[in-house]
């Protein structure tokens, strides 16, 4: 049986962030956010959940959810007939929802004796739900996001 610690959790979480940075360095930045954006997003998320003293692999789950959100935005930009320069703002404005639900989930599960796979799943799911709710709120109020914005009439 493999033992996971908070150190391996942070290493895995930063490994996910480093993989996204490597792809950005090789292929370019489709949402025009800049390398600093990815570094700050990962460092802020991992720092916030580590302060809450989460169980092992929670940070890796949260980092995976952040990675999936970035990859979905990259795919969205690739599907557009003409690239949009301000698409990254939709991602930026949705990050607070991801962070808030990550911290809420971390505080709730902090004292429970969870297996690492459960902590990973909870971290991933909480961040995805928070990002999704914030994304819908952003697209319905602050910016036009195509089909996510709903009817405008």
């Amino acid at each position: 049986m493999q033992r996971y610690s908070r150190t391996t959790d942070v290493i895995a979480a930063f490994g996910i962030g480093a993989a996204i940075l490597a792809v950005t360095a090789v292929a370019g930045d489709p949402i025009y956010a800049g390398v600093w954006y990815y570094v700050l997003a990962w460092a802020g998320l991992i720092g916030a959940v580590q302060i809450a003293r989460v169980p092992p692999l929670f940070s890796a789950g949260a980092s995976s959810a952040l990675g999936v959100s970035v990859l979905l935005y990259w795919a969205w930009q690739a599907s557009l007939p003409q690239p949009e320069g301000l698409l990254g703002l939709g991602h930026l404005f949705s990050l607070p929802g991801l962070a808030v639900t990550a911290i809420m989930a971390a505080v709730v599960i902090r004292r429970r004796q969870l297996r690492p796979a459960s902590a990973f799943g909870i971290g991933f799911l909480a961040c995805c739900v928070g990002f999704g709710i914030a994304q819908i709120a952003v697209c319905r109020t602050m910016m036009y996001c195509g089909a996510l914005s709903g009817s405008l009439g």
Side-chain angles (χ1 to χ4, degrees), residues 57-58 60-66 68 118-129:
L57 292 189
F58 183 90
S63 182
S64 296
L66 182 57
V68 166
S118 298
F120 181 91
I122 290 170
F124 183 81
L125 186 63
C127 289
C128 286
V129 166

Side-chain angles (χ1 to χ4, degrees), residues 28-48:
D29 186 8
I31 61 173
Y32 310 113
V35 172
W36 64 270
Y37 173 73
Y38 301 107
V39 171
L40 287 178
W42 258 275
L45 177 64
I46 302 309

Side-chain angles (χ1 to χ4, degrees), residues 92-104 126-127 129-135:
L92 174 67
F93 293 145
S94 298
L95 285 182
L98 183 140
V100 166
T101 55
I103 293 169
M104 287 173 41
C127 289
V129 166
F131 185 85
I133 290 171
Q135 182 69 54

Side-chain angles (χ1 to χ4, degrees), residues 10-146:
V10 170
I11 291 169
F14 276 117
I16 293 166
I20 295 293
L21 281 176
V23 171
T24 303
V26 171
D29 186 8
I31 61 173
Y32 310 113
V35 172
W36 64 270
Y37 173 73
Y38 301 107
V39 171
L40 287 178
W42 258 275
L45 177 64
I46 302 309
V49 297
Q50 285 300 311
I51 288 173
R53 300 189 51 85
V54 293
L57 292 189
F58 183 90
S59 297
S63 182
S64 296
L66 182 57
V68 166
S69 72
V70 166
L71 292 175
L72 288 174
Y73 259 79
W74 288 358
W76 187 4
Q77 182 76 300
S79 72
L80 296 174
Q82 181 176 356
E84 297 203 13
L86 298 177
L87 190 62
L89 289 177
H91 192 271
L92 174 67
F93 293 145
S94 298
L95 285 182
L98 183 140
V100 166
T101 55
I103 293 169
M104 287 173 41
V107 168
V108 168
I109 69 166
R110 178 177 42 192
R111 301 206 193 271
R112 299 189 189 334
Q113 296 294 328
L114 293 178
R115 295 185 355 201
S118 298
F120 181 91
I122 290 170
F124 183 81
L125 186 63
C127 289
C128 286
V129 166
F131 185 85
I133 290 171
Q135 182 69 54
I136 291 169
V138 164
C139 289
R140 296 288 293 177
T141 59
M142 294 179 10
M143 56 186 301
Y144 178 71
C145 302

